[in-house]
Amino acid sequence: MLPASCLMAIPDERMTDDARRLDDSRAIERFLRTVERRALRMAELATRQREDAIDLVQDAMFGFVRSYGARDAGEWSPLFWRVLDSRIHDWHRRQRVRGRWFAWLDRRDEDGDDPLAAVPDAREPGPLARLADGEAALALDAALRALPLRQRQAFLLRMWEGLDVAATATAMRCSEGSVKTHLSRALANLRNRLEAHR
Amino acid sequence: MTTPPREPWLDRSLALLEQSAESLDAATLSRLNRARQAALAQPRQRHWRIGLVLAGATAVALAIGVGHRGFAPTQPQPADHAAAADGRTLDALAADDDSLELTEDLDFYAWLDAQQHDVDG
């Protein structure tokens, strides 16, 4: 028969595990709260569609919690952005493949439904265009959309999200040198387009 | 070392980006909240558990490998058995003249056995 001290220790141990799990969940929730709005804006700039952007952020949250939720909190930020960056790249790949199929089907069936209806509308006002500071916001939105994906991601992660070069490289799955190159080009492109709006 | 001051266009752009993130509508915030709760409700990978399973699998694989190598020299293969048996038989036959005569008279003994069966039957 177990001594009384052992019997008392079992529930205490279980409570400690539960409490730790609850603390972990709260910490992850706090972290996700701090990044989700910027994540949505980043995805929206990439997809130009609110629905797809929300889906991407949701997928990124699932992937992050499943794969990296048990990691130390200090590692979370670059890992979350890495998952989102990966989802955004996947979305672009799917769009390219879909675009090729639609182009092929369009040639075969001229009378069918317009497949381009599913392609994002370039005239749709972006996430920034809805702001009160209309002209500057429109210019920024257009300038960010005009950047190649890697340059935009480098700019947003490094300058807006505030990741250092190493963390940005982790998030973008590339070398620190590549991050510096992408960022330098992004800043040059944005400066050219936005300096006039001072 | 001091960092150079940021250019005005950059400060303004970052402020606009921040403003756009803060001005999300309630419906979108609600959807983000639901997505977050759903993500938190799923099980998480425990990396130490994965490590433990991998370490266990490696240990088992090593044990099997070492055991196989350790026992292999003491366990002759079937081909070795056959070769050794053939060798021993030939040696025994070669060393014993009676055995050689026995192999030569096998037909005779087979005939004798058949005759005996006929008598018994």
Side-chain angles (χ1 to χ4, degrees), chain B residues 14-46:
Chain B
L14 295 176
L16 280 171
L17 279 168
E18 200 57 39
Q19 199 183 330
S20 77
E22 290 304 316
S23 63
L24 288 171
D25 58 279
T28 304
L29 290 176
S30 169
R31 291 181 68 182
L32 284 176
N33 183 46
R34 282 202 302 275
R36 187 183 346 110
Q37 298 304 332
L40 287 168
Q42 65 173 335
R44 272 166 256 163
Q45 279 183 8
R46 293 278 171 190

PDB file of all heavy atoms in Angstrom, chain B residues 14-46:
ATOM      1  N   LEU B  14       5.594  53.702 -41.871  1.00  0.00           N
ATOM      2  CA  LEU B  14       5.428  52.757 -40.761  1.00  0.00           C
ATOM      3  C   LEU B  14       4.242  53.170 -39.874  1.00  0.00           C
ATOM      4  O   LEU B  14       3.505  52.307 -39.385  1.00  0.00           O
ATOM      5  CB  LEU B  14       6.717  52.672 -39.939  1.00  0.00           C
ATOM      6  CG  LEU B  14       7.922  52.090 -40.704  1.00  0.00           C
ATOM      7  CD1 LEU B  14       9.191  52.134 -39.856  1.00  0.00           C
ATOM      8  CD2 LEU B  14       7.639  50.654 -41.148  1.00  0.00           C
ATOM      9  N   ALA B  15       4.077  54.477 -39.703  1.00  0.00           N
ATOM     10  CA  ALA B  15       2.939  54.954 -38.907  1.00  0.00           C
ATOM     11  C   ALA B  15       1.622  54.591 -39.593  1.00  0.00           C
ATOM     12  O   ALA B  15       0.662  54.158 -38.933  1.00  0.00           O
ATOM     13  CB  ALA B  15       3.036  56.462 -38.718  1.00  0.00           C
ATOM     14  N   LEU B  16       1.579  54.717 -40.915  1.00  0.00           N
ATOM     15  CA  LEU B  16       0.358  54.364 -41.664  1.00  0.00           C
ATOM     16  C   LEU B  16       0.068  52.861 -41.565  1.00  0.00           C
ATOM     17  O   LEU B  16      -1.085  52.448 -41.419  1.00  0.00           O
ATOM     18  CB  LEU B  16       0.505  54.763 -43.135  1.00  0.00           C
ATOM     19  CG  LEU B  16       0.266  56.239 -43.463  1.00  0.00           C
ATOM     20  CD1 LEU B  16       0.671  56.533 -44.908  1.00  0.00           C
ATOM     21  CD2 LEU B  16      -1.201  56.610 -43.252  1.00  0.00           C
ATOM     22  N   LEU B  17       1.134  52.077 -41.663  1.00  0.00           N
ATOM     23  CA  LEU B  17       0.955  50.624 -41.543  1.00  0.00           C
ATOM     24  C   LEU B  17       0.386  50.273 -40.169  1.00  0.00           C
ATOM     25  O   LEU B  17      -0.540  49.461 -40.046  1.00  0.00           O
ATOM     26  CB  LEU B  17       2.303  49.912 -41.750  1.00  0.00           C
ATOM     27  CG  LEU B  17       2.755  49.698 -43.190  1.00  0.00           C
ATOM     28  CD1 LEU B  17       4.209  49.253 -43.229  1.00  0.00           C
ATOM     29  CD2 LEU B  17       1.876  48.653 -43.859  1.00  0.00           C
ATOM     30  N   GLU B  18       0.939  50.887 -39.138  1.00  0.00           N
ATOM     31  CA  GLU B  18       0.487  50.612 -37.778  1.00  0.00           C
ATOM     32  C   GLU B  18      -0.973  51.032 -37.607  1.00  0.00           C
ATOM     33  O   GLU B  18      -1.777  50.310 -37.010  1.00  0.00           O
ATOM     34  CB  GLU B  18       1.383  51.368 -36.782  1.00  0.00           C
ATOM     35  CG  GLU B  18       1.344  50.833 -35.365  1.00  0.00           C
ATOM     36  CD  GLU B  18       1.727  49.364 -35.270  1.00  0.00           C
ATOM     37  OE1 GLU B  18       2.661  48.934 -35.984  1.00  0.00           O
ATOM     38  OE2 GLU B  18       1.074  48.644 -34.497  1.00  0.00           O
ATOM     39  N   GLN B  19      -1.277  52.184 -38.188  1.00  0.00           N
ATOM     40  CA  GLN B  19      -2.652  52.690 -38.113  1.00  0.00           C
ATOM     41  C   GLN B  19      -3.618  51.732 -38.806  1.00  0.00           C
ATOM     42  O   GLN B  19      -4.721  51.491 -38.323  1.00  0.00           O
ATOM     43  CB  GLN B  19      -2.691  54.053 -38.797  1.00  0.00           C
ATOM     44  CG  GLN B  19      -3.889  54.924 -38.447  1.00  0.00           C
ATOM     45  CD  GLN B  19      -3.859  56.218 -39.251  1.00  0.00           C
ATOM     46  OE1 GLN B  19      -2.793  56.716 -39.605  1.00  0.00           O
ATOM     47  NE2 GLN B  19      -5.030  56.751 -39.540  1.00  0.00           N
ATOM     48  N   SER B  20      -3.194  51.179 -39.932  1.00  0.00           N
ATOM     49  CA  SER B  20      -4.072  50.256 -40.667  1.00  0.00           C
ATOM     50  C   SER B  20      -4.305  48.976 -39.867  1.00  0.00           C
ATOM     51  O   SER B  20      -5.378  48.379 -39.932  1.00  0.00           O
ATOM     52  CB  SER B  20      -3.471  49.917 -42.029  1.00  0.00           C
ATOM     53  OG  SER B  20      -2.428  48.988 -41.904  1.00  0.00           O
ATOM     54  N   ALA B  21      -3.303  48.549 -39.105  1.00  0.00           N
ATOM     55  CA  ALA B  21      -3.466  47.332 -38.302  1.00  0.00           C
ATOM     56  C   ALA B  21      -4.385  47.586 -37.107  1.00  0.00           C
ATOM     57  O   ALA B  21      -5.101  46.683 -36.666  1.00  0.00           O
ATOM     58  CB  ALA B  21      -2.102  46.847 -37.823  1.00  0.00           C
ATOM     59  N   GLU B  22      -4.366  48.806 -36.606  1.00  0.00           N
ATOM     60  CA  GLU B  22      -5.188  49.129 -35.436  1.00  0.00           C
ATOM     61  C   GLU B  22      -6.639  49.406 -35.806  1.00  0.00           C
ATOM     62  O   GLU B  22      -7.498  49.433 -34.933  1.00  0.00           O
ATOM     63  CB  GLU B  22      -4.603  50.349 -34.709  1.00  0.00           C
ATOM     64  CG  GLU B  22      -3.265  50.063 -34.011  1.00  0.00           C
ATOM     65  CD  GLU B  22      -3.360  48.923 -33.027  1.00  0.00           C
ATOM     66  OE1 GLU B  22      -4.335  48.872 -32.261  1.00  0.00           O
ATOM     67  OE2 GLU B  22      -2.461  48.054 -33.035  1.00  0.00           O
ATOM     68  N   SER B  23      -6.892  49.648 -37.087  1.00  0.00           N
ATOM     69  CA  SER B  23      -8.235  50.085 -37.471  1.00  0.00           C
ATOM     70  C   SER B  23      -9.066  48.960 -38.077  1.00  0.00           C
ATOM     71  O   SER B  23      -9.972  49.215 -38.868  1.00  0.00           O
ATOM     72  CB  SER B  23      -8.133  51.233 -38.473  1.00  0.00           C
ATOM     73  OG  SER B  23      -7.496  50.776 -39.651  1.00  0.00           O
ATOM     74  N   LEU B  24      -8.754  47.730 -37.717  1.00  0.00           N
ATOM     75  CA  LEU B  24      -9.546  46.601 -38.254  1.00  0.00           C
ATOM     76  C   LEU B  24     -10.963  46.638 -37.691  1.00  0.00           C
ATOM     77  O   LEU B  24     -11.171  46.994 -36.526  1.00  0.00           O
ATOM     78  CB  LEU B  24      -8.872  45.276 -37.881  1.00  0.00           C
ATOM     79  CG  LEU B  24      -7.587  44.927 -38.618  1.00  0.00           C
ATOM     80  CD1 LEU B  24      -6.926  43.702 -37.997  1.00  0.00           C
ATOM     81  CD2 LEU B  24      -7.863  44.676 -40.087  1.00  0.00           C
ATOM     82  N   ASP B  25     -11.919  46.234 -38.516  1.00  0.00           N
ATOM     83  CA  ASP B  25     -13.316  46.259 -38.070  1.00  0.00           C
ATOM     84  C   ASP B  25     -13.605  45.106 -37.114  1.00  0.00           C
ATOM     85  O   ASP B  25     -12.845  44.131 -37.027  1.00  0.00           O
ATOM     86  CB  ASP B  25     -14.244  46.178 -39.288  1.00  0.00           C
ATOM     87  CG  ASP B  25     -13.972  44.934 -40.101  1.00  0.00           C
ATOM     88  OD1 ASP B  25     -13.021  44.942 -40.905  1.00  0.00           O
ATOM     89  OD2 ASP B  25     -14.684  43.945 -39.915  1.00  0.00           O
ATOM     90  N   ALA B  26     -14.730  45.243 -36.409  1.00  0.00           N
ATOM     91  CA  ALA B  26     -15.076  44.280 -35.357  1.00  0.00           C
ATOM     92  C   ALA B  26     -15.268  42.868 -35.914  1.00  0.00           C
ATOM     93  O   ALA B  26     -14.877  41.881 -35.279  1.00  0.00           O
ATOM     94  CB  ALA B  26     -16.332  44.741 -34.645  1.00  0.00           C
ATOM     95  N   ALA B  27     -15.866  42.768 -37.093  1.00  0.00           N
ATOM     96  CA  ALA B  27     -16.126  41.438 -37.664  1.00  0.00           C
ATOM     97  C   ALA B  27     -14.810  40.707 -37.942  1.00  0.00           C
ATOM     98  O   ALA B  27     -14.669  39.509 -37.657  1.00  0.00           O
ATOM     99  CB  ALA B  27     -16.925  41.578 -38.959  1.00  0.00           C
ATOM    100  N   THR B  28     -13.841  41.438 -38.468  1.00  0.00           N
ATOM    101  CA  THR B  28     -12.538  40.814 -38.754  1.00  0.00           C
ATOM    102  C   THR B  28     -11.838  40.415 -37.455  1.00  0.00           C
ATOM    103  O   THR B  28     -11.253  39.328 -37.356  1.00  0.00           O
ATOM    104  CB  THR B  28     -11.653  41.796 -39.541  1.00  0.00           C
ATOM    105  OG1 THR B  28     -12.351  42.185 -40.728  1.00  0.00           O
ATOM    106  CG2 THR B  28     -10.338  41.158 -39.927  1.00  0.00           C
ATOM    107  N   LEU B  29     -11.906  41.304 -36.454  1.00  0.00           N
ATOM    108  CA  LEU B  29     -11.281  40.982 -35.166  1.00  0.00           C
ATOM    109  C   LEU B  29     -11.921  39.747 -34.546  1.00  0.00           C
ATOM    110  O   LEU B  29     -11.233  38.914 -33.948  1.00  0.00           O
ATOM    111  CB  LEU B  29     -11.410  42.175 -34.213  1.00  0.00           C
ATOM    112  CG  LEU B  29     -10.562  43.396 -34.577  1.00  0.00           C
ATOM    113  CD1 LEU B  29     -10.832  44.544 -33.619  1.00  0.00           C
ATOM    114  CD2 LEU B  29      -9.079  43.037 -34.560  1.00  0.00           C
ATOM    115  N   SER B  30     -13.241  39.629 -34.717  1.00  0.00           N
ATOM    116  CA  SER B  30     -13.951  38.466 -34.185  1.00  0.00           C
ATOM    117  C   SER B  30     -13.471  37.188 -34.887  1.00  0.00           C
ATOM    118  O   SER B  30     -13.268  36.150 -34.252  1.00  0.00           O
ATOM    119  CB  SER B  30     -15.451  38.664 -34.382  1.00  0.00           C
ATOM    120  OG  SER B  30     -16.137  37.475 -34.119  1.00  0.00           O
ATOM    121  N   ARG B  31     -13.278  37.269 -36.194  1.00  0.00           N
ATOM    122  CA  ARG B  31     -12.801  36.087 -36.939  1.00  0.00           C
ATOM    123  C   ARG B  31     -11.379  35.724 -36.534  1.00  0.00           C
ATOM    124  O   ARG B  31     -11.023  34.549 -36.431  1.00  0.00           O
ATOM    125  CB  ARG B  31     -12.885  36.347 -38.438  1.00  0.00           C
ATOM    126  CG  ARG B  31     -14.331  36.419 -38.913  1.00  0.00           C
ATOM    127  CD  ARG B  31     -14.410  36.652 -40.384  1.00  0.00           C
ATOM    128  NE  ARG B  31     -13.936  35.490 -41.136  1.00  0.00           N
ATOM    129  CZ  ARG B  31     -13.858  35.449 -42.459  1.00  0.00           C
ATOM    130  NH1 ARG B  31     -14.232  36.504 -43.163  1.00  0.00           N
ATOM    131  NH2 ARG B  31     -13.418  34.383 -43.073  1.00  0.00           N
ATOM    132  N   LEU B  32     -10.560  36.740 -36.309  1.00  0.00           N
ATOM    133  CA  LEU B  32      -9.187  36.461 -35.846  1.00  0.00           C
ATOM    134  C   LEU B  32      -9.217  35.794 -34.469  1.00  0.00           C
ATOM    135  O   LEU B  32      -8.444  34.872 -34.197  1.00  0.00           O
ATOM    136  CB  LEU B  32      -8.382  37.763 -35.779  1.00  0.00           C
ATOM    137  CG  LEU B  32      -7.886  38.340 -37.098  1.00  0.00           C
ATOM    138  CD1 LEU B  32      -7.196  39.680 -36.872  1.00  0.00           C
ATOM    139  CD2 LEU B  32      -6.912  37.370 -37.782  1.00  0.00           C
ATOM    140  N   ASN B  33     -10.135  36.266 -33.632  1.00  0.00           N
ATOM    141  CA  ASN B  33     -10.253  35.692 -32.290  1.00  0.00           C
ATOM    142  C   ASN B  33     -10.664  34.227 -32.363  1.00  0.00           C
ATOM    143  O   ASN B  33     -10.077  33.366 -31.682  1.00  0.00           O
ATOM    144  CB  ASN B  33     -11.284  36.501 -31.491  1.00  0.00           C
ATOM    145  CG  ASN B  33     -11.400  35.985 -30.067  1.00  0.00           C
ATOM    146  OD1 ASN B  33     -10.397  35.751 -29.410  1.00  0.00           O
ATOM    147  ND2 ASN B  33     -12.625  35.787 -29.617  1.00  0.00           N
ATOM    148  N   ARG B  34     -11.630  33.924 -33.236  1.00  0.00           N
ATOM    149  CA  ARG B  34     -12.073  32.532 -33.396  1.00  0.00           C
ATOM    150  C   ARG B  34     -10.930  31.662 -33.937  1.00  0.00           C
ATOM    151  O   ARG B  34     -10.728  30.536 -33.491  1.00  0.00           O
ATOM    152  CB  ARG B  34     -13.281  32.455 -34.333  1.00  0.00           C
ATOM    153  CG  ARG B  34     -14.589  32.852 -33.680  1.00  0.00           C
ATOM    154  CD  ARG B  34     -15.784  32.260 -34.435  1.00  0.00           C
ATOM    155  NE  ARG B  34     -15.816  32.673 -35.826  1.00  0.00           N
ATOM    156  CZ  ARG B  34     -16.361  33.810 -36.269  1.00  0.00           C
ATOM    157  NH1 ARG B  34     -16.925  34.633 -35.414  1.00  0.00           N
ATOM    158  NH2 ARG B  34     -16.358  34.111 -37.544  1.00  0.00           N
ATOM    159  N   ALA B  35     -10.187  32.214 -34.892  1.00  0.00           N
ATOM    160  CA  ALA B  35      -9.064  31.459 -35.461  1.00  0.00           C
ATOM    161  C   ALA B  35      -8.024  31.164 -34.379  1.00  0.00           C
ATOM    162  O   ALA B  35      -7.489  30.059 -34.290  1.00  0.00           O
ATOM    163  CB  ALA B  35      -8.429  32.266 -36.588  1.00  0.00           C
ATOM    164  N   ARG B  36      -7.752  32.154 -33.540  1.00  0.00           N
ATOM    165  CA  ARG B  36      -6.764  31.985 -32.467  1.00  0.00           C
ATOM    166  C   ARG B  36      -7.206  30.910 -31.480  1.00  0.00           C
ATOM    167  O   ARG B  36      -6.435  30.032 -31.102  1.00  0.00           O
ATOM    168  CB  ARG B  36      -6.587  33.330 -31.760  1.00  0.00           C
ATOM    169  CG  ARG B  36      -5.481  33.316 -30.751  1.00  0.00           C
ATOM    170  CD  ARG B  36      -5.325  34.630 -29.982  1.00  0.00           C
ATOM    171  NE  ARG B  36      -6.022  35.758 -30.524  1.00  0.00           N
ATOM    172  CZ  ARG B  36      -7.098  36.326 -29.935  1.00  0.00           C
ATOM    173  NH1 ARG B  36      -7.574  35.824 -28.812  1.00  0.00           N
ATOM    174  NH2 ARG B  36      -7.661  37.387 -30.477  1.00  0.00           N
ATOM    175  N   GLN B  37      -8.500  30.979 -31.077  1.00  0.00           N
ATOM    176  CA  GLN B  37      -9.003  29.995 -30.108  1.00  0.00           C
ATOM    177  C   GLN B  37      -8.959  28.586 -30.690  1.00  0.00           C
ATOM    178  O   GLN B  37      -8.618  27.627 -29.999  1.00  0.00           O
ATOM    179  CB  GLN B  37     -10.445  30.337 -29.682  1.00  0.00           C
ATOM    180  CG  GLN B  37     -10.597  31.679 -28.972  1.00  0.00           C
ATOM    181  CD  GLN B  37      -9.710  31.802 -27.744  1.00  0.00           C
ATOM    182  OE1 GLN B  37      -9.381  30.800 -27.106  1.00  0.00           O
ATOM    183  NE2 GLN B  37      -9.266  33.008 -27.430  1.00  0.00           N
ATOM    184  N   ALA B  38      -9.314  28.470 -31.969  1.00  0.00           N
ATOM    185  CA  ALA B  38      -9.278  27.140 -32.611  1.00  0.00           C
ATOM    186  C   ALA B  38      -7.851  26.618 -32.677  1.00  0.00           C
ATOM    187  O   ALA B  38      -7.602  25.426 -32.450  1.00  0.00           O
ATOM    188  CB  ALA B  38      -9.872  27.235 -34.014  1.00  0.00           C
ATOM    189  N   ALA B  39      -6.915  27.496 -32.971  1.00  0.00           N
ATOM    190  CA  ALA B  39      -5.507  27.068 -33.048  1.00  0.00           C
ATOM    191  C   ALA B  39      -5.006  26.619 -31.678  1.00  0.00           C
ATOM    192  O   ALA B  39      -4.274  25.629 -31.558  1.00  0.00           O
ATOM    193  CB  ALA B  39      -4.645  28.214 -33.575  1.00  0.00           C
ATOM    194  N   LEU B  40      -5.436  27.321 -30.637  1.00  0.00           N
ATOM    195  CA  LEU B  40      -4.974  26.980 -29.284  1.00  0.00           C
ATOM    196  C   LEU B  40      -5.595  25.685 -28.784  1.00  0.00           C
ATOM    197  O   LEU B  40      -5.030  25.023 -27.916  1.00  0.00           O
ATOM    198  CB  LEU B  40      -5.316  28.121 -28.320  1.00  0.00           C
ATOM    199  CG  LEU B  40      -4.465  29.373 -28.477  1.00  0.00           C
ATOM    200  CD1 LEU B  40      -5.067  30.541 -27.705  1.00  0.00           C
ATOM    201  CD2 LEU B  40      -3.042  29.118 -28.013  1.00  0.00           C
ATOM    202  N   ALA B  41      -6.761  25.318 -29.333  1.00  0.00           N
ATOM    203  CA  ALA B  41      -7.460  24.121 -28.856  1.00  0.00           C
ATOM    204  C   ALA B  41      -6.841  22.831 -29.375  1.00  0.00           C
ATOM    205  O   ALA B  41      -7.124  21.756 -28.865  1.00  0.00           O
ATOM    206  CB  ALA B  41      -8.924  24.187 -29.278  1.00  0.00           C
ATOM    207  N   GLN B  42      -5.984  22.925 -30.392  1.00  0.00           N
ATOM    208  CA  GLN B  42      -5.400  21.698 -30.963  1.00  0.00           C
ATOM    209  C   GLN B  42      -4.182  21.256 -30.133  1.00  0.00           C
ATOM    210  O   GLN B  42      -3.562  22.064 -29.449  1.00  0.00           O
ATOM    211  CB  GLN B  42      -4.982  21.943 -32.408  1.00  0.00           C
ATOM    212  CG  GLN B  42      -3.858  22.950 -32.484  1.00  0.00           C
ATOM    213  CD  GLN B  42      -3.295  23.102 -33.864  1.00  0.00           C
ATOM    214  OE1 GLN B  42      -3.385  22.205 -34.664  1.00  0.00           O
ATOM    215  NE2 GLN B  42      -2.707  24.245 -34.105  1.00  0.00           N
ATOM    216  N   PRO B  43      -3.851  19.967 -30.216  1.00  0.00           N
ATOM    217  CA  PRO B  43      -2.680  19.484 -29.468  1.00  0.00           C
ATOM    218  C   PRO B  43      -1.378  20.029 -30.034  1.00  0.00           C
ATOM    219  O   PRO B  43      -1.290  20.312 -31.222  1.00  0.00           O
ATOM    220  CB  PRO B  43      -2.751  17.955 -29.646  1.00  0.00           C
ATOM    221  CG  PRO B  43      -3.555  17.754 -30.863  1.00  0.00           C
ATOM    222  CD  PRO B  43      -4.513  18.907 -30.965  1.00  0.00           C
ATOM    223  N   ARG B  44      -0.394  20.178 -29.148  1.00  0.00           N
ATOM    224  CA  ARG B  44       0.914  20.680 -29.571  1.00  0.00           C
ATOM    225  C   ARG B  44       1.940  19.571 -29.563  1.00  0.00           C
ATOM    226  O   ARG B  44       1.855  18.657 -28.762  1.00  0.00           O
ATOM    227  CB  ARG B  44       1.394  21.755 -28.584  1.00  0.00           C
ATOM    228  CG  ARG B  44       0.909  23.121 -28.938  1.00  0.00           C
ATOM    229  CD  ARG B  44       1.115  24.036 -27.776  1.00  0.00           C
ATOM    230  NE  ARG B  44      -0.142  24.278 -27.098  1.00  0.00           N
ATOM    231  CZ  ARG B  44      -0.275  24.758 -25.874  1.00  0.00           C
ATOM    232  NH1 ARG B  44       0.806  25.040 -25.177  1.00  0.00           N
ATOM    233  NH2 ARG B  44      -1.441  24.950 -25.345  1.00  0.00           N
ATOM    234  N   GLN B  45       2.900  19.678 -30.470  1.00  0.00           N
ATOM    235  CA  GLN B  45       4.003  18.701 -30.489  1.00  0.00           C
ATOM    236  C   GLN B  45       4.921  18.998 -29.320  1.00  0.00           C
ATOM    237  O   GLN B  45       5.318  20.137 -29.111  1.00  0.00           O
ATOM    238  CB  GLN B  45       4.813  18.841 -31.770  1.00  0.00           C
ATOM    239  CG  GLN B  45       4.201  18.162 -32.950  1.00  0.00           C
ATOM    240  CD  GLN B  45       5.077  18.280 -34.167  1.00  0.00           C
ATOM    241  OE1 GLN B  45       6.195  18.743 -34.089  1.00  0.00           O
ATOM    242  NE2 GLN B  45       4.549  17.877 -35.301  1.00  0.00           N
ATOM    243  N   ARG B  46       5.256  17.974 -28.569  1.00  0.00           N
ATOM    244  CA  ARG B  46       6.236  18.120 -27.489  1.00  0.00           C
ATOM    245  C   ARG B  46       7.566  17.628 -28.018  1.00  0.00           C
ATOM    246  O   ARG B  46       7.735  16.454 -28.301  1.00  0.00           O
ATOM    247  CB  ARG B  46       5.817  17.292 -26.269  1.00  0.00           C
ATOM    248  CG  ARG B  46       4.550  17.819 -25.621  1.00  0.00           C
ATOM    249  CD  ARG B  46       4.874  18.972 -24.711  1.00  0.00           C
ATOM    250  NE  ARG B  46       3.659  19.620 -24.244  1.00  0.00           N
ATOM    251  CZ  ARG B  46       3.645  20.776 -23.595  1.00  0.00           C
ATOM    252  NH1 ARG B  46       4.772  21.406 -23.361  1.00  0.00           N
ATOM    253  NH2 ARG B  46       2.523  21.306 -23.198  1.00  0.00           N
TER     254      ARG B  46
END
